[in-house]
Amino acid sequence: MADGSDTTLTADKTGEQAPNGLVAGIKSFAAEHGGAKAVIEYVGKRGARIVLVGSDGAWADQFADGTDTARQACAKAGVTVENAWERELMDQMRPSNDLWRSMARRTMAR
């Protein structure tokens, strides 16, 4: 392997920009819910899932091409990225009644 060949790959990857639509969606969610925190989950070839938890307990998700793109989008949107699902963040989440009903249907159907 030639000197510097591994750094070339890294430089190419960091040159990728987060899509403006993704950044706008994250900003919009944070604005509607009094701020937000995010957890980024790797989902294989599909990319990364950004789970957004608003200060009011509402939550939503967005998808990015990869974890690096997801982190860039959150940084541009001004949303803090948590390293893992901490208890405080999970306690803050308030699932909607529709979500509870859909989860109950899945459990009862088993």
Side-chain angles (χ1 to χ4, degrees):
M1 189 181 286
D3 288 338
S5 62
D6 56 342
T7 57
T8 303
L9 291 174
T10 304
D12 289 344
K13 263 191 141 176
T14 57
E16 295 176 10
Q17 295 289 325
N20 289 333
L22 179 61
V23 174
I26 295 170
K27 278 184 182 178
S28 174
F29 179 85
E32 290 174 14
H33 299 283
K37 292 185 179 180
V39 176
I40 298 172
E41 301 173 337
Y42 175 71
V43 290
K45 289 183 180 179
R46 177 141 188 224
R49 179 182 183 203
I50 306 168
V51 182
L52 300 164
V53 181
S55 296
D56 62 356
W59 61 279
D61 60 357
Q62 299 271 341
F63 282 88
D65 292 337
T67 56
D68 53 341
T69 304
R71 286 189 182 282
Q72 286 177 0
C74 289
K76 284 184 178 180
V79 172
T80 303
V81 177
E82 298 289 326
N83 290 328
W85 284 104
E86 300 292 334
R87 181 184 185 112
E88 293 82 19
L89 187 60
M90 291 181 70
D91 286 345
Q92 185 178 341
M93 293 177 76
R94 300 285 175 240
S96 68
N97 289 334
D98 292 336
L99 180 61
W100 282 117
R101 279 192 284 276
S102 72
M103 287 190 295
R105 274 187 245 123
R106 281 186 235 145
T107 302
M108 296 178 84
R110 289 183 187 171

